[in-house]
Amino acid sequence: MPLRRALLALPALLALGGPLGAESYPTRPIALVVPFAAGGPTDTVSRLVAEAMGRDLGQTIVVENVGGAGGTLGAQRVAQAKPDGYILLLHHIGMATTPSLYRKLAYDPVGGFEPIGLVTEVPMTLVARKDFPANTLAEAVAVIKRDADKLNYGNAGIGAASHLCGLLLMQSVDTAMTTVPFRGTGPAMQELLAGRIDLMCDQTTNTTEQINGGTVKAFAVTTPERVAALPKLATSKEGGLPGFEVTVWHGLYAPKGTPPEIVARLSKALQTALADPKLIARFAELGTAPVPAAQATPAAHRAFWQADIAKWRPIIQAAGQYAD
Ligand code: ASP
């Protein structure tokens, strides 16, 4: 293009977000913080989403595991990062429980983020080491009641889905077990496989292959309906614990102040990723499915997140259990 024409076109290009603005975003790799250890369920979902979104964006999305303190260390990292579109967070239901569970945080657990879109809602399963002396949920409950002081329950710290699910289980059977926190249920699963912890409640995205491979025992899936990837596994209601139901929603976030055009571009990439047949097939093998495209938007995500914060606050306050 001759120089004069190029100069004349410049204002229009800039108005469009042109080569210098969001239109050219992203120009370098993006970091995706996962607030739990590698090899766990949030990590698995995040890596599948990162790969598919990266294809749409034409840039690599590099997963960084920042585990610890129930997911708050990773969330803090993103809330305090530069809001330039080059750092994101993929977190789960903990984003709704943290604001009530943690009364002292070094970051704003709600105002520190721009929601980009919901990702998936994952069932949980109650699993045990392979030689746990029970084969059904009713038998497992009997063992828990009888041997509570000898049993170790693994989780990913306070506010993690595995913590919430464990609390619900212990409330349902009116018995407390010793809990052992890990930086994520990826490492907790390794301990379960080695028989060094006894029980865990975790997303199907971490347990389906172990259950189907017979390397752990499973007693229930915590959804009203059975899960297609685990057809033989009874629901908690079928197993005699109807109140023991919990699913784990996941969402994608940017730091507060990330430009709206970049948030919109990321949301579009998320929707494209969630429609990818390979991603859908892999999610199905792991006992889950992506949310519909209408939920992978900032507005739907914000509304769902706010409603879930409001749902959990009275439950946590009534339980009087805080992380500090
Ligand atoms: N499933 C874990 C939890 O308890 C988190 C993880 O490791 O992904 O929330």
Side-chain angles (χ1 to χ4, degrees):
M1 194 188 285
L3 183 64
R4 205 179 114 77
R5 260 177 57 208
L7 286 176
L8 284 174
L10 197 57
L13 278 173
L14 289 176
L16 274 177
L20 304 176
E23 199 72 349
S24 56
Y25 165 85
T27 56
R28 56 187 165 88
I30 298 170
L32 175 61
V33 172
V34 172
F36 297 105
T42 312
D43 181 69
T44 297
V45 163
S46 301
R47 284 174 197 271
L48 292 168
V49 171
E51 212 226 314
M53 278 183 72
R55 253 181 277 129
D56 186 64
L57 290 164
Q59 281 291 344
T60 309
I61 300 187
V62 185
V63 170
E64 256 184 63
N65 299 91
V66 184
T72 56
L73 297 184
Q76 173 173 347
R77 164 85 157 270
V78 176
Q80 294 175 344
K82 195 170 159 199
D84 58 3
Y86 290 95
I87 184 159
L88 306 174
L89 172 73
L90 203 150
H91 201 339
H92 63 26
I93 189 170
M95 287 294 279
T97 54
T98 293
S100 308
L101 273 172
Y102 286 78
R103 290 176 295 188
K104 285 183 223 122
L105 282 170
Y107 68 100
D108 183 342
V110 183
F113 302 92
E114 305 282 353
I116 295 169
L118 294 166
V119 175
T120 177
E121 188 159 1
V122 186
M124 295 200 92
T125 49
L126 178 64
V127 292
R129 62 180 154 80
K130 203 178 159 192
D131 54 355
F132 193 85
N135 290 311
T136 63
L137 183 58
E139 288 171 12
V141 169
V143 174
I144 291 170
K145 289 191 173 213
R146 190 188 67 214
D147 293 336
D149 55 337
K150 297 188 209 106
L151 296 175
N152 288 320
Y153 174 93
N155 71 17
I158 295 184
S162 46
H163 168 244
L164 302 171
C165 191
L167 276 185
L168 197 64
L169 170 70
M170 293 183 219
Q171 269 171 17
S172 309
V173 302
D174 199 20
T175 309
M177 284 176 274
T178 304
T179 54
V180 186
F182 295 85
R183 292 178 94 78
T185 46
M189 175 60 85
Q190 296 310 312
E191 292 301 287
L192 194 73
L193 292 172
R196 285 190 286 266
I197 58 170
D198 302 292
L199 285 153
M200 179 164 78
C201 186
D202 201 16
Q203 286 109 293
T204 55
T205 36
N206 200 35
T207 60
T208 300
E209 286 171 354
Q210 302 295 354
I211 295 170
N212 286 334
T215 51
V216 297
K217 272 192 183 172
F219 302 124
V221 60
T222 62
T223 41
E225 306 293 332
R226 289 192 183 202
V227 168
L230 294 163
K232 286 191 246 141
L233 186 58
T235 66
S236 37
K237 189 171 173 194
E238 286 176 275
L241 280 184
F244 179 44
E245 279 179 8
V246 51
T247 54
V248 184
W249 62 272
H250 295 66
L252 185 66
Y253 305 80
K256 182 80 186 170
T258 302
E261 328 68 91
I262 289 183
V263 170
R265 178 70 191 92
L266 289 165
S267 175
K268 190 184 149 281
L270 176 63
Q271 287 165 25
T272 305
L274 297 184
D276 179 78
K278 259 174 43 200
L279 179 138
I280 295 171
R282 186 65 188 133
F283 268 30
E285 284 170 2
L286 297 170
T288 191
V291 298
Q295 284 189 273
T297 63
H301 184 179
R302 186 181 298 282
F304 186 91
W305 181 27
Q306 280 172 350
D308 216 42
I309 291 172
K311 175 182 132 183
W312 279 99
R313 181 162 289 125
I315 300 173
I316 292 165
Q317 281 169 349
Q321 289 228 0
Y322 297 102
D324 42 43

